[in-house]
Amino acid sequence: MIHVLAILTALPGKRAEVLEAFQANVPAVHAEDGCIEYTAVVDVDGAAPAFGPDTFVVVEKWESMEALKAHAASAHMAAYGKKVEHLMADRAVHVLKPA
């Protein structure tokens, strides 16, 4: 199994707009072969340390690296990327495996 933590930071005040586009894309991702989990998470109120009000983390689990690569190359991910690229400040994607 492959784990992915994608730390995505929107431009100030744009996280809700990015998350709306993200949520619209979730059903297509869940339908992909090899998708086990794909969800966005945000800070719990009062948590410290915190990512902050413009950042969210996508928690993903994939059956294999091949499934993750197919996901990254999918048409719906390309469309999502184009839809939000002008709203994003930063992104860091960590691809991990069980220790």
Side-chain angles (χ1 to χ4, degrees):
M1 181 180 345
I2 302 299
H3 298 256
V4 178
L5 296 176
I7 303 165
L8 307 173
T9 302
L11 293 171
K14 297 296 183 181
R15 182 175 78 179
E17 191 174 343
V18 175
L19 279 170
E20 183 178 335
F22 175 88
Q23 294 298 349
N25 196 41
V26 166
V29 176
H30 283 171
E32 291 180 49
D33 288 338
C35 180
I36 298 169
E37 180 179 358
Y38 187 81
T39 190
V41 295
V42 296
D43 294 319
V44 171
D45 288 340
F51 285 107
D54 298 315
T55 299
F56 65 100
V57 178
V58 181
V59 178
E60 308 177 39
K61 290 183 185 176
W62 296 90
E63 287 181 0
S64 65
M65 195 63 197
E66 292 75 22
L68 176 59
K69 287 179 182 178
H71 161 70
S74 68
H76 57 268
M77 288 307 296
Y80 163 72
K82 286 184 188 238
K83 188 171 188 173
V84 301
E85 67 185 351
H86 69 285
L87 302 171
M88 300 304 297
D90 195 22
R91 84 191 257 272
V93 179
H94 302 269
V95 180
L96 310 160
K97 65 180 183 178

Coordinates of all heavy atoms in Angstrom, one line a residue:
M1 N 0.9 -1.2 0.0 CA 0.0 0.0 0.0 C 0.9 1.2 0.0 O 1.9 1.3 0.6 CB -0.9 0.0 1.2 CG -1.8 1.2 1.3 SD -3.0 1.3 2.7 CE -3.0 -0.2 3.4
I2 N 0.4 2.3 -0.7 CA 1.1 3.5 -0.8 C 0.3 4.6 0.0 O -0.9 4.6 -0.2 CB 1.3 4.0 -2.3 CG1 2.1 2.9 -3.1 CG2 2.0 5.4 -2.4 CD1 3.5 2.7 -2.6
H3 N 0.9 5.4 0.8 CA 0.3 6.5 1.5 C 0.8 7.8 0.9 O 2.0 7.9 0.6 CB 0.7 6.4 3.0 CG 0.2 5.2 3.7 ND1 -0.8 5.2 4.5 CD2 0.8 3.9 3.7 CE1 -1.0 3.9 5.0 NE2 0.0 3.2 4.5
V4 N -0.1 8.7 0.8 CA 0.3 10.1 0.3 C -0.3 11.1 1.3 O -1.5 11.0 1.7 CB -0.3 10.3 -1.1 CG1 0.1 11.7 -1.6 CG2 0.2 9.3 -2.1
L5 N 0.5 12.0 1.6 CA 0.1 13.2 2.4 C 0.4 14.4 1.5 O 1.6 14.7 1.2 CB 0.8 13.4 3.7 CG 0.5 12.3 4.7 CD1 1.4 12.5 6.0 CD2 -0.9 12.2 5.1
A6 N -0.6 15.1 1.0 CA -0.4 16.3 0.1 C -0.8 17.5 0.9 O -1.9 17.6 1.3 CB -1.2 16.1 -1.1
I7 N 0.2 18.3 1.2 CA -0.1 19.5 2.0 C -0.2 20.7 1.0 O 0.7 21.1 0.3 CB 1.1 19.8 3.0 CG1 1.3 18.6 3.9 CG2 0.9 21.1 3.8 CD1 2.6 18.5 4.6
L8 N -1.5 21.2 1.0 CA -1.8 22.2 0.0 C -2.2 23.5 0.6 O -3.0 23.5 1.5 CB -3.0 21.7 -0.8 CG -2.8 20.3 -1.5 CD1 -4.1 19.8 -2.1 CD2 -1.7 20.3 -2.5
T9 N -1.6 24.6 0.2 CA -1.8 25.9 0.7 C -2.4 26.8 -0.4 O -1.7 27.0 -1.4 CB -0.6 26.5 1.3 OG1 -0.1 25.6 2.3 CG2 -0.8 27.9 2.0
A10 N -3.6 27.3 -0.1 CA -4.2 28.2 -1.0 C -3.7 29.6 -0.8 O -3.2 29.9 0.3 CB -5.8 28.1 -0.8
L11 N -4.0 30.5 -1.7 CA -3.8 31.9 -1.5 C -4.6 32.4 -0.4 O -5.7 31.7 -0.1 CB -4.1 32.7 -2.8 CG -3.1 32.4 -4.0 CD1 -3.7 33.1 -5.2 CD2 -1.7 32.9 -3.7
P12 N -4.2 33.4 0.3 CA -5.0 33.8 1.5 C -6.5 34.0 1.2 O -6.9 34.6 0.2 CB -4.4 35.2 1.9 CG -3.0 35.0 1.4 CD -3.0 34.2 0.1
G13 N -7.3 33.4 2.0 CA -8.8 33.5 1.9 C -9.4 32.6 0.8 O -10.6 32.6 0.6
K14 N -8.6 31.8 0.1 CA -9.1 31.0 -1.0 C -9.3 29.5 -0.7 O -9.7 28.7 -1.6 CB -8.2 31.1 -2.2 CG -8.1 32.6 -2.8 CD -9.5 33.0 -3.3 CE -9.4 34.4 -3.9 NZ -10.7 34.8 -4.3
R15 N -9.0 29.1 0.5 CA -9.1 27.6 0.8 C -10.5 27.1 0.6 O -10.6 26.0 0.0 CB -8.6 27.3 2.3 CG -8.7 25.9 2.6 CD -8.1 25.5 4.0 NE -9.1 25.8 5.0 CZ -9.0 25.7 6.3 NH1 -7.8 25.2 6.7 NH2 -9.9 25.9 7.1
A16 N -11.5 27.7 0.9 CA -12.9 27.2 0.8 C -13.2 27.0 -0.7 O -13.8 26.0 -1.1 CB -13.9 28.2 1.4
E17 N -12.7 27.9 -1.6 CA -12.9 27.8 -3.0 C -12.2 26.5 -3.6 O -12.7 25.8 -4.4 CB -12.5 29.0 -3.7 CG -12.9 29.1 -5.2 CD -12.6 30.5 -5.8 OE1 -12.4 31.4 -5.1 OE2 -12.6 30.5 -7.0
V18 N -11.0 26.3 -3.1 CA -10.2 25.2 -3.5 C -10.8 23.9 -3.0 O -11.0 22.9 -3.8 CB -8.7 25.3 -3.1 CG1 -7.9 24.0 -3.4 CG2 -8.0 26.5 -3.7
L19 N -11.3 23.9 -1.8 CA -11.9 22.7 -1.2 C -13.2 22.4 -1.9 O -13.5 21.2 -2.1 CB -12.1 22.9 0.3 CG -10.9 22.6 1.2 CD1 -11.2 23.1 2.6 CD2 -10.5 21.2 1.1
E20 N -13.9 23.4 -2.4 CA -15.2 23.1 -3.1 C -14.8 22.4 -4.4 O -15.5 21.4 -4.8 CB -15.9 24.4 -3.5 CG -17.2 24.2 -4.2 CD -17.9 25.6 -4.4 OE1 -17.7 26.5 -3.7 OE2 -18.7 25.6 -5.4
A21 N -13.8 22.8 -5.1 CA -13.4 22.1 -6.4 C -12.8 20.7 -6.0 O -13.1 19.8 -6.8 CB -12.3 22.9 -7.1
F22 N -12.1 20.6 -4.9 CA -11.6 19.3 -4.5 C -12.7 18.3 -4.3 O -12.7 17.2 -4.8 CB -10.7 19.5 -3.2 CG -10.3 18.2 -2.7 CD1 -9.1 17.6 -3.1 CD2 -11.0 17.5 -1.7 CE1 -8.7 16.4 -2.6 CE2 -10.6 16.3 -1.2 CZ -9.4 15.7 -1.6
Q23 N -13.7 18.7 -3.5 CA -14.8 17.9 -3.2 C -15.6 17.4 -4.4 O -16.1 16.3 -4.5 CB -15.8 18.5 -2.1 CG -15.1 18.8 -0.8 CD -14.7 17.5 0.0 OE1 -15.0 16.4 -0.4 NE2 -13.9 17.7 1.0
A24 N -15.7 18.3 -5.4 CA -16.4 18.0 -6.6 C -15.7 16.9 -7.4 O -16.3 16.1 -8.1 CB -16.6 19.2 -7.5
N25 N -14.3 16.8 -7.2 CA -13.5 15.8 -7.9 C -13.4 14.5 -7.1 O -13.0 13.5 -7.7 CB -12.1 16.4 -8.1 CG -11.3 15.6 -9.1 OD1 -11.8 15.2 -10.1 ND2 -10.0 15.4 -8.8
V26 N -13.8 14.5 -5.9 CA -13.6 13.2 -5.0 C -14.3 12.0 -5.6 O -13.7 10.9 -5.6 CB -14.0 13.5 -3.6 CG1 -14.2 12.2 -2.8 CG2 -13.0 14.4 -2.9
P27 N -15.6 12.1 -6.1 CA -16.2 10.9 -6.6 C -15.4 10.2 -7.8 O -15.3 9.0 -7.8 CB -17.6 11.4 -7.0 CG -17.9 12.6 -6.2 CD -16.5 13.2 -6.0
A28 N -14.9 11.1 -8.6 CA -14.1 10.5 -9.7 C -12.8 9.8 -9.2 O -12.4 8.7 -9.7 CB -13.7 11.6 -10.7
V29 N -12.2 10.4 -8.2 CA -11.0 9.7 -7.6 C -11.4 8.4 -6.9 O -10.7 7.4 -7.1 CB -10.3 10.7 -6.7 CG1 -9.1 10.0 -6.0 CG2 -9.8 11.9 -7.4
H30 N -12.5 8.4 -6.1 CA -12.9 7.2 -5.4 C -13.2 6.1 -6.4 O -13.1 4.9 -6.1 CB -14.1 7.5 -4.5 CG -13.7 8.2 -3.3 ND1 -14.7 8.7 -2.4 CD2 -12.5 8.5 -2.7 CE1 -14.1 9.3 -1.4 NE2 -12.8 9.1 -1.5
A31 N -13.6 6.4 -7.6 CA -13.9 5.4 -8.7 C -12.7 4.9 -9.3 O -12.8 3.9 -10.1 CB -14.9 6.0 -9.7
E32 N -11.5 5.4 -9.1 CA -10.3 4.9 -9.7 C -9.9 3.6 -9.2 O -10.1 3.3 -8.0 CB -9.2 5.9 -9.5 CG -9.3 7.2 -10.2 CD -8.1 8.1 -9.9 OE1 -7.0 7.7 -10.0 OE2 -8.3 9.3 -9.6
D33 N -9.4 2.7 -10.1 CA -8.8 1.5 -9.6 C -7.7 1.7 -8.6 O -6.8 2.6 -8.9 CB -8.3 0.7 -10.8 CG -9.4 0.1 -11.7 OD1 -10.5 0.0 -11.2 OD2 -9.1 -0.2 -12.9
G34 N -7.7 1.0 -7.5 CA -6.6 1.1 -6.6 C -6.8 2.2 -5.5 O -6.0 2.3 -4.6
C35 N -7.8 3.0 -5.6 CA -8.0 4.1 -4.6 C -8.6 3.4 -3.3 O -9.7 2.8 -3.4 CB -9.0 5.2 -5.1 SG -9.3 6.4 -3.8
I36 N -8.0 3.6 -2.2 CA -8.5 3.0 -0.9 C -9.0 4.2 -0.1 O -10.1 4.1 0.5 CB -7.3 2.3 -0.2 CG1 -6.8 1.1 -1.0 CG2 -7.8 1.9 1.2 CD1 -5.5 0.5 -0.4
E37 N -8.3 5.3 -0.1 CA -8.8 6.5 0.7 C -8.3 7.7 0.0 O -7.2 7.8 -0.5 CB -8.2 6.5 2.1 CG -8.6 7.6 3.0 CD -8.1 7.6 4.4 OE1 -7.4 6.6 4.8 OE2 -8.3 8.5 5.1
Y38 N -9.2 8.8 0.0 CA -8.8 10.1 -0.6 C -9.7 11.1 0.1 O -10.9 11.1 -0.2 CB -9.0 10.0 -2.1 CG -8.6 11.2 -2.9 CD1 -7.2 11.4 -3.2 CD2 -9.5 12.2 -3.2 CE1 -6.8 12.5 -3.9 CE2 -9.1 13.3 -4.0 CZ -7.7 13.5 -4.3 OH -7.3 14.6 -5.0
T39 N -9.2 11.8 1.0 CA -10.0 12.8 1.7 C -9.2 14.0 2.1 O -7.9 13.9 2.3 CB -10.6 12.1 3.0 OG1 -11.5 13.0 3.6 CG2 -9.5 11.8 4.0
A40 N -9.8 15.1 2.3 CA -9.2 16.4 2.7 C -9.4 16.6 4.2 O -10.6 16.3 4.7 CB -9.7 17.6 1.9
V41 N -8.4 17.0 4.9 CA -8.6 17.3 6.4 C -8.0 18.7 6.7 O -7.1 19.1 5.9 CB -7.9 16.2 7.2 CG1 -8.6 14.9 7.1 CG2 -6.4 16.1 6.9
V42 N -8.5 19.3 7.7 CA -8.0 20.6 8.1 C -7.8 20.6 9.6 O -8.2 19.7 10.3 CB -9.1 21.8 7.8 CG1 -9.3 21.9 6.3 CG2 -10.4 21.5 8.5
D43 N -7.1 21.6 10.1 CA -6.8 21.7 11.5 C -8.0 21.7 12.4 O -9.1 22.2 12.1 CB -6.1 23.1 11.8 CG -4.7 23.2 11.2 OD1 -4.0 22.2 11.1 OD2 -4.5 24.3 10.7
V44 N -7.9 21.0 13.5 CA -8.9 21.0 14.6 C -8.8 22.4 15.2 O -7.7 22.9 15.5 CB -8.7 19.9 15.6 CG1 -9.6 20.1 16.8 CG2 -8.9 18.5 14.9
D45 N -9.9 23.1 15.5 CA -9.9 24.4 16.2 C -9.1 24.3 17.5 O -9.3 23.4 18.3 CB -11.3 24.9 16.5 CG -12.1 25.3 15.3 OD1 -11.4 25.6 14.2 OD2 -13.3 25.3 15.3
G46 N -8.1 25.2 17.6 CA -7.3 25.2 18.8 C -6.1 24.3 18.8 O -5.4 24.3 19.8
A47 N -5.9 23.5 17.8 CA -4.8 22.6 17.7 C -3.5 23.4 17.6 O -3.5 24.4 16.9 CB -5.0 21.6 16.6
A48 N -2.5 22.9 18.2 CA -1.1 23.5 18.0 C -0.1 22.4 18.0 O -0.2 21.5 18.9 CB -0.9 24.5 19.2
P49 N 0.8 22.4 17.1 CA 0.9 23.3 16.0 C -0.3 23.1 15.0 O -0.9 22.1 15.0 CB 2.2 23.0 15.3 CG 2.4 21.6 15.6 CD 1.8 21.3 17.0
A50 N -0.5 24.1 14.1 CA -1.5 24.0 13.1 C -0.9 24.4 11.8 O 0.0 25.2 11.7 CB -2.7 24.9 13.5
F51 N -1.5 23.9 10.7 CA -1.1 24.3 9.4 C -1.6 25.7 9.1 O -1.0 26.4 8.3 CB -1.7 23.4 8.3 CG -1.0 22.1 8.3 CD1 -1.5 20.9 8.8 CD2 0.3 22.0 7.7 CE1 -0.9 19.7 8.7 CE2 1.0 20.8 7.7 CZ 0.4 19.6 8.2
G52 N -2.8 26.1 9.6 CA -3.3 27.5 9.4 C -4.5 27.5 8.5 O -4.9 26.5 7.9
P53 N -5.1 28.7 8.4 CA -6.4 28.8 7.8 C -6.4 28.6 6.3 O -7.5 28.5 5.7 CB -6.9 30.2 8.2 CG -5.6 31.0 8.4 CD -4.7 30.0 8.9
D54 N -5.3 28.7 5.6 CA -5.2 28.6 4.2 C -4.8 27.2 3.7 O -4.7 26.9 2.5 CB -4.3 29.7 3.6 CG -4.8 31.1 3.9 OD1 -6.1 31.3 3.8 OD2 -4.0 31.9 4.4
T55 N -4.5 26.3 4.6 CA -3.9 25.0 4.3 C -4.8 23.9 4.6 O -5.5 23.9 5.6 CB -2.5 24.8 5.0 OG1 -1.6 25.9 4.6 CG2 -1.9 23.5 4.7
F56 N -4.8 22.8 3.7 CA -5.5 21.6 4.0 C -4.5 20.4 3.6 O -3.6 20.7 2.8 CB -6.9 21.5 3.4 CG -6.9 21.5 1.9 CD1 -7.0 20.3 1.2 CD2 -6.8 22.6 1.1 CE1 -7.1 20.2 -0.2 CE2 -6.9 22.6 -0.2 CZ -7.0 21.4 -0.9
V57 N -4.8 19.3 4.1 CA -4.0 18.1 3.8 C -4.9 17.1 3.2 O -6.0 16.8 3.7 CB -3.3 17.5 5.1 CG1 -2.5 16.3 4.8 CG2 -2.4 18.6 5.8
V58 N -4.4 16.5 2.1 CA -5.1 15.4 1.5 C -4.4 14.1 1.9 O -3.2 13.9 1.8 CB -5.1 15.5 -0.1 CG1 -5.9 14.3 -0.7 CG2 -5.7 16.8 -0.5
V59 N -5.3 13.2 2.5 CA -4.8 12.0 3.0 C -5.2 10.9 2.0 O -6.4 10.8 1.7 CB -5.4 11.6 4.4 CG1 -4.9 10.3 4.9 CG2 -5.0 12.7 5.4
E60 N -4.3 10.2 1.4 CA -4.6 9.2 0.4 C -4.0 7.9 0.7 O -2.9 7.8 1.3 CB -4.0 9.7 -0.9 CG -4.3 11.1 -1.3 CD -3.7 11.5 -2.6 OE1 -3.5 10.7 -3.6 OE2 -3.3 12.7 -2.7
K61 N -4.6 6.8 0.3 CA -4.1 5.5 0.3 C -4.4 4.8 -1.0 O -5.5 4.9 -1.5 CB -4.7 4.7 1.5 CG -4.3 5.1 2.8 CD -4.9 4.2 3.9 CE -4.5 4.7 5.3 NZ -5.2 3.9 6.3
W62 N -3.4 4.2 -1.6 CA -3.5 3.6 -2.9 C -3.0 2.1 -2.8 O -2.0 1.9 -2.0 CB -2.7 4.4 -3.9 CG -3.2 5.7 -4.1 CD1 -2.9 6.9 -3.5 CD2 -4.3 6.1 -5.0 NE1 -3.7 7.9 -3.9 CE2 -4.5 7.4 -4.8 CE3 -5.1 5.4 -5.9 CZ2 -5.5 8.1 -5.6 CZ3 -6.0 6.0 -6.7 CH2 -6.3 7.4 -6.5
E63 N -3.5 1.3 -3.6 CA -3.1 -0.1 -3.6 C -1.7 -0.3 -4.0 O -1.0 -1.3 -3.6 CB -4.0 -1.0 -4.4 CG -5.4 -1.2 -3.8 CD -6.3 -2.1 -4.7 OE1 -5.9 -2.5 -5.8 OE2 -7.4 -2.3 -4.3
S64 N -1.2 0.5 -4.9 CA 0.1 0.4 -5.5 C 0.6 1.7 -6.0 O -0.1 2.6 -6.2 CB 0.1 -0.7 -6.6 OG -0.7 -0.2 -7.7
M65 N 1.9 1.7 -6.3 CA 2.5 2.9 -7.0 C 1.9 3.1 -8.4 O 1.7 4.2 -8.8 CB 4.0 2.7 -7.0 CG 4.8 4.0 -7.3 SD 4.5 5.2 -6.0 CE 5.1 6.6 -6.8
E66 N 1.6 2.0 -9.0 CA 1.1 2.1 -10.4 C -0.3 2.8 -10.3 O -0.6 3.6 -11.2 CB 0.9 0.7 -11.0 CG 2.2 0.0 -11.3 CD 3.0 -0.5 -10.1 OE1 2.4 -0.8 -9.1 OE2 4.2 -0.6 -10.2
A67 N -1.1 2.4 -9.3 CA -2.4 3.1 -9.1 C -2.3 4.6 -8.9 O -3.0 5.4 -9.4 CB -3.2 2.4 -8.0
L68 N -1.3 4.9 -8.0 CA -1.0 6.3 -7.8 C -0.6 7.1 -9.0 O -1.0 8.2 -9.3 CB 0.0 6.5 -6.7 CG 0.5 7.9 -6.3 CD1 -0.7 8.8 -5.9 CD2 1.6 7.9 -5.3
K69 N 0.3 6.5 -9.8 CA 0.7 7.1 -11.1 C -0.4 7.3 -12.0 O -0.5 8.3 -12.7 CB 1.8 6.2 -11.7 CG 3.2 6.3 -11.0 CD 4.2 5.5 -11.6 CE 5.5 5.5 -10.9 NZ 6.5 4.6 -11.5
A70 N -1.3 6.3 -12.1 CA -2.5 6.4 -13.0 C -3.4 7.6 -12.5 O -3.9 8.3 -13.3 CB -3.3 5.1 -13.0
H71 N -3.5 7.7 -11.2 CA -4.3 8.8 -10.6 C -3.7 10.1 -11.0 O -4.4 11.0 -11.5 CB -4.3 8.6 -9.1 CG -4.7 9.9 -8.4 ND1 -6.0 10.4 -8.4 CD2 -3.9 10.7 -7.6 CE1 -6.0 11.5 -7.6 NE2 -4.8 11.7 -7.2
A72 N -2.4 10.3 -10.9 CA -1.8 11.5 -11.2 C -1.9 11.9 -12.6 O -1.9 13.1 -13.0 CB -0.3 11.4 -10.8
A73 N -2.0 10.9 -13.5 CA -2.1 11.1 -15.0 C -3.6 11.2 -15.5 O -3.8 11.4 -16.7 CB -1.4 10.0 -15.7
S74 N -4.5 11.1 -14.6 CA -5.9 11.1 -15.0 C -6.4 12.4 -15.5 O -5.9 13.5 -15.1 CB -6.8 10.6 -13.9 OG -6.8 11.6 -12.8
A75 N -7.4 12.4 -16.4 CA -8.0 13.6 -17.0 C -8.6 14.4 -15.9 O -8.5 15.7 -16.0 CB -8.9 13.2 -18.1
H76 N -9.3 13.8 -15.0 CA -10.0 14.6 -14.0 C -9.1 15.3 -13.0 O -9.4 16.4 -12.5 CB -11.1 13.8 -13.2 CG -10.6 12.6 -12.5 ND1 -10.5 11.3 -13.1 CD2 -10.0 12.4 -11.3 CE1 -10.0 10.4 -12.3 NE2 -9.7 11.1 -11.2
M77 N -7.9 14.7 -12.8 CA -6.9 15.4 -11.9 C -6.3 16.6 -12.7 O -6.1 17.7 -12.1 CB -5.8 14.5 -11.4 CG -6.3 13.5 -10.4 SD -7.1 14.3 -9.0 CE -5.8 15.3 -8.3
A78 N -6.1 16.4 -14.0 CA -5.6 17.5 -14.8 C -6.6 18.7 -14.8 O -6.2 19.9 -14.7 CB -5.3 17.1 -16.2
A79 N -7.9 18.3 -15.0 CA -8.9 19.4 -15.0 C -9.0 20.1 -13.6 O -9.1 21.3 -13.6 CB -10.3 18.8 -15.4
Y80 N -8.9 19.3 -12.6 CA -8.9 19.9 -11.2 C -7.7 20.8 -11.0 O -7.9 22.0 -10.6 CB -8.9 18.8 -10.1 CG -8.5 19.3 -8.8 CD1 -9.4 20.0 -8.0 CD2 -7.3 18.9 -8.2 CE1 -9.0 20.5 -6.7 CE2 -6.9 19.4 -7.0 CZ -7.8 20.1 -6.2 OH -7.4 20.6 -5.0
G81 N -6.6 20.4 -11.5 CA -5.4 21.2 -11.3 C -5.5 22.5 -12.1 O -5.1 23.6 -11.5
K82 N -6.0 22.5 -13.3 CA -6.2 23.8 -14.0 C -7.3 24.7 -13.4 O -7.1 25.9 -13.4 CB -6.7 23.4 -15.5 CG -5.5 22.9 -16.3 CD -6.0 22.7 -17.7 CE -4.9 22.0 -18.5 NZ -4.4 22.7 -19.6
K83 N -8.3 24.0 -12.8 CA -9.3 24.8 -12.1 C -8.8 25.6 -10.9 O -9.3 26.7 -10.6 CB -10.5 23.9 -11.7 CG -11.7 24.6 -11.2 CD -12.8 23.6 -11.0 CE -14.1 24.4 -10.7 NZ -15.3 23.5 -10.7
V84 N -7.8 25.0 -10.2 CA -7.4 25.7 -8.9 C -6.0 26.3 -9.0 O -5.6 26.9 -8.0 CB -7.5 24.7 -7.7 CG1 -8.9 24.2 -7.6 CG2 -6.5 23.5 -7.9
E85 N -5.3 26.1 -10.1 CA -3.9 26.5 -10.1 C -3.7 28.0 -9.7 O -2.7 28.4 -9.1 CB -3.2 26.2 -11.4 CG -3.7 26.9 -12.6 CD -3.1 26.4 -13.9 OE1 -2.1 25.6 -13.9 OE2 -3.6 26.9 -15.0
H86 N -4.6 28.8 -10.2 CA -4.5 30.3 -9.9 C -4.9 30.6 -8.4 O -4.7 31.8 -8.0 CB -5.4 31.1 -10.9 CG -6.8 30.9 -10.7 ND1 -7.5 29.7 -11.0 CD2 -7.8 31.7 -10.1 CE1 -8.8 29.8 -10.7 NE2 -9.0 31.0 -10.1
L87 N -5.4 29.6 -7.7 CA -5.8 29.8 -6.3 C -4.8 29.3 -5.3 O -4.9 29.5 -4.1 CB -7.1 29.1 -6.0 CG -8.3 29.6 -6.9 CD1 -9.5 28.7 -6.7 CD2 -8.7 31.0 -6.6
M88 N -3.7 28.7 -5.8 CA -2.7 28.0 -4.9 C -1.5 28.8 -4.7 O -0.9 29.4 -5.6 CB -2.4 26.6 -5.5 CG -3.5 25.7 -5.8 SD -4.5 25.4 -4.3 CE -3.3 24.5 -3.3
A89 N -1.0 28.7 -3.4 CA 0.3 29.3 -3.0 C 1.4 28.3 -3.0 O 2.5 28.6 -3.3 CB 0.1 30.0 -1.7
D90 N 1.1 27.1 -2.5 CA 2.2 26.1 -2.3 C 1.6 24.7 -2.2 O 0.4 24.6 -1.9 CB 2.9 26.4 -1.0 CG 4.3 25.7 -0.9 OD1 4.8 25.3 -2.0 OD2 4.7 25.5 0.2
R91 N 2.4 23.7 -2.5 CA 2.0 22.3 -2.3 C 3.2 21.5 -2.1 O 4.3 21.7 -2.7 CB 1.2 21.8 -3.5 CG 1.9 21.3 -4.7 CD 0.9 21.1 -5.9 NE 0.6 19.7 -6.2 CZ 1.3 18.9 -6.9 NH1 2.4 19.2 -7.4 NH2 0.8 17.7 -7.1
A92 N 3.1 20.5 -1.2 CA 4.1 19.5 -1.0 C 3.5 18.2 -0.9 O 2.5 18.0 -0.1 CB 4.8 19.9 0.4
V93 N 3.9 17.2 -1.7 CA 3.3 15.9 -1.8 C 4.4 14.9 -1.3 O 5.5 14.8 -1.8 CB 2.9 15.6 -3.2 CG1 2.3 14.2 -3.3 CG2 1.9 16.6 -3.7
H94 N 4.0 14.2 -0.3 CA 4.9 13.2 0.3 C 4.3 11.8 0.0 O 3.1 11.5 0.4 CB 5.0 13.4 1.8 CG 5.5 14.7 2.2 ND1 6.8 15.0 2.4 CD2 4.8 15.9 2.4 CE1 7.0 16.2 2.7 NE2 5.8 16.8 2.7
V95 N 5.0 10.9 -0.7 CA 4.6 9.6 -1.0 C 5.4 8.6 -0.1 O 6.6 8.7 0.0 CB 4.9 9.3 -2.5 CG1 4.5 7.9 -2.8 CG2 4.2 10.3 -3.4
L96 N 4.6 7.8 0.7 CA 5.2 7.1 1.8 C 4.8 5.6 1.7 O 3.8 5.3 1.0 CB 4.7 7.6 3.1 CG 4.9 9.1 3.3 CD1 3.9 9.7 4.3 CD2 6.3 9.5 3.6
K97 N 5.5 4.7 2.4 CA 5.1 3.3 2.5 C 5.2 2.9 3.9 O 5.9 3.6 4.8 CB 6.1 2.5 1.7 CG 7.5 2.5 2.2 CD 8.4 1.6 1.3 CE 9.8 1.6 1.9 NZ 10.7 0.7 1.1
P98 N 4.5 1.9 4.3 CA 4.5 1.4 5.7 C 5.9 1.1 6.1 O 6.7 0.6 5.4 CB 3.6 0.2 5.7 CG 2.7 0.4 4.6 CD 3.5 1.1 3.5
A99 N 6.3 1.5 7.4 CA 7.6 1.2 7.9 C 7.8 -0.2 8.3 O 6.9 -0.9 8.6 CB 7.9 2.1 9.1

